[in-house]
Amino acid sequence: MEQKKIFDNIRKLTAYGILTGLVPEEDKIYTINRLLELFQLQEIDDSEEEVCVSVEDLEGILAEMLDYAYEAGLMEENSVVYRDLFDTKIMGMLVARPSEVIRTFRALYAENPKKATEYYYKFSCDTDYIRRYRIRKDKKWIASTEYGDLDITINLSKPEKDPRAIAAARNAKQSSYPKCQLCRENEGYAGRLNHPARQNHRIIPITIQGSEWGFQYSPYVYYNEHCIVFNGQHVPMKIDHNTFCKLFDFVKQFPHYILGSNADLPIVGGSILSHDHFQGGHYEFAMARAGVERSFTVPGFEDVAAGVVKWPMSVIRLSGEDTERIIALADKILDAWRGYSDEAAFIFAETDGEKHNTITPIARKRDDRYELDLVLRNNITTEEHPLGVYHPHAKLHHIKKENIGLIEVMGVAVLPARLKGEMEALKEAVLTGKDIRKDEVLAKHADWVEEFSAKYDKIDEENIDTVIEKEIGLVFMQVLEDAGVYKRTSEGQEAFDRFIKSL
């Protein structure tokens, strides 16, 4: 690549920094010089051409910079892993020190918590920590079901690693620093082949229940302002009394956000269980929109509204103005559920000394009341269901096989990237009358296609996209029903009521 192009891109990236507010006008020359150093250049031409950029130009600017870096021998391989490591280093040149970001956040928080999070979310996008141009590639739609509108996403924003990079990472010296991708030590870390670079990452320290925690956004935002709140110490996740206290402590500090926790057992955890953390954001999930279909009162807690939510999974919603009373009732329900068995409903608290029952909790503020949703979980396995009895069953694995974590519990499907190509090929096969069972990749979808095709008078080019999206949404609804410990049948709900009466 001709040298003039890298000079142009250095100017453009600096202009992008000024445009987004990452780089103060006074730091323009300083930033250019830092970028010259990164690209091992001694000088820049004296072009006086006016530089015009937009936020959307970032992807193209970085792409050309990476091409130059490879050609100049600054990158070992021209693959996605190496490019991601280097472009994060580039963006790190534009990002203020943590103390400056924290100072700005706290000043805005003093005015209004919403202002602070809006600033920090924009900052996380502008720094390319959240790669907007990749997130836009995710395929998303709404699926109407009997439980309301579910959010369906096919995750395309996580790039597939090059096999050579995977092999190199396997052969590289192993490191335990940072201990995991949630640890505070990630802030500013250069990364390596098996760990993402984070020079452009800044963490907001917050205090929860007297302890140091960190607040950040997920680089793979599945919904608006998808945040992660993590313990300052690398300690395992655990659902207990303190969990409920921490959730409400955060919601009181950021009342426009919801916050929830994955369960603390394998299979139903669906997350990094080795580091205590929560996920939340500024979004109303389908589960939050779902209403209470039957209310009940727990003796001694007449001041706390309680009810069963109309949802494919088994959810108890507690509501009131006093969070201490909500927490006290949540403690009672969690303690009861931990030790609860009902053989007729195939619910066993433990087998062979292994505990199976836990809860996925979600806290929010609605008007002047606080709510806590308690989703009952169980991770028992059998020969028939080796991945979990309350897990997507085998007939649904062609769409979704992975664990059902917090985000999906609340009604956002995170489906594997393979589905995009498979669904495009499947549409063509359906329209041309191809024998799907003879296709090595599509054969797993054959039973599903036969099943839903019978529901439609015709499937053609005009409606096939709508049909496929609707039917994937219905599969996700069934995935959540499979994950529910009490089924949406009269027998299942009677069993649910038996547990409630035991409280």
Side-chain angles (χ1 to χ4, degrees), residues 116-240:
T117 54
E118 285 175 348
Y119 150 76
Y120 182 46
Y121 184 71
K122 178 181 181 296
F123 169 87
S124 299
C125 293
D126 290 340
T127 61
D128 208 37
Y129 168 72
I130 296 173
R131 298 172 188 262
R132 278 180 286 219
Y133 45 87
R134 285 189 183 164
I135 302 300
R136 279 195 288 266
K137 294 176 183 176
D138 287 348
K139 189 169 172 52
K140 300 183 179 185
W141 69 92
I142 302 295
S144 296
T145 73
E146 61 186 275
Y147 304 104
D149 290 342
L150 304 181
D151 294 292
I152 311 298
T153 70
I154 295 179
N155 174 31
L156 303 171
S157 54
K158 286 186 181 180
E160 292 186 21
K161 292 183 179 180
D162 183 274
R164 289 172 299 177
I166 294 172
R170 193 182 300 119
N171 296 326
K173 180 183 176 182
Q174 295 303 301
S175 172
S176 58
Y177 182 89
K179 291 186 179 72
C180 77
Q181 291 188 28
L182 290 178
C183 286
R184 296 163 67 183
E185 289 76 15
N186 283 280
E187 187 175 43
Y189 184 59
R192 53 185 187 268
L193 290 176
N194 60 355
H195 194 100
R198 290 291 183 254
Q199 292 102 321
N200 58 350
H201 179 39
R202 300 294 179 264
I203 295 166
I204 303 298
I206 59 175
T207 301
I208 296 183
Q209 292 290 291
S211 297
E212 290 184 10
W213 282 61
F215 171 67
Q216 66 180 55
Y217 291 104
S218 167
Y220 307 107
V221 287
Y222 295 125
Y223 49 85
N224 188 48
E225 296 178 35
H226 176 184
C227 73
I228 299 172
V229 179
F230 61 95
N231 198 315
Q233 304 297 316
H234 184 76
V235 294
M237 285 179 62
K238 186 179 181 183
I239 303 296
D240 58 13

Side-chain angles (χ1 to χ4, degrees), residues 367-382:
D367 299 323
D368 60 346
R369 295 173 69 85
Y370 291 95
E371 290 182 353
L372 185 65
D373 284 352
L374 303 174
V375 188
L376 307 183
R377 311 298 302 272
N378 181 289
N379 75 345
I380 196 167
T381 60
T382 62

Side-chain angles (χ1 to χ4, degrees), residues 395-435:
K395 68 170 289 191
L396 306 178
H397 288 179
H398 66 105
I399 298 292
K400 176 70 174 177
K401 185 179 182 180
E402 297 76 16
N403 293 352
I404 303 305
L406 171 68
I407 295 170
E408 284 150 325
V409 164
M410 296 188 290
V412 176
V414 182
L415 302 179
R418 64 173 171 83
L419 280 179
K420 181 177 185 290
E422 289 178 12
M423 290 305 108
E424 287 172 355
L426 190 66
K427 290 172 190 174
E428 183 182 352
V430 170
L431 291 174
T432 59
K434 181 180 177 182
D435 187 345

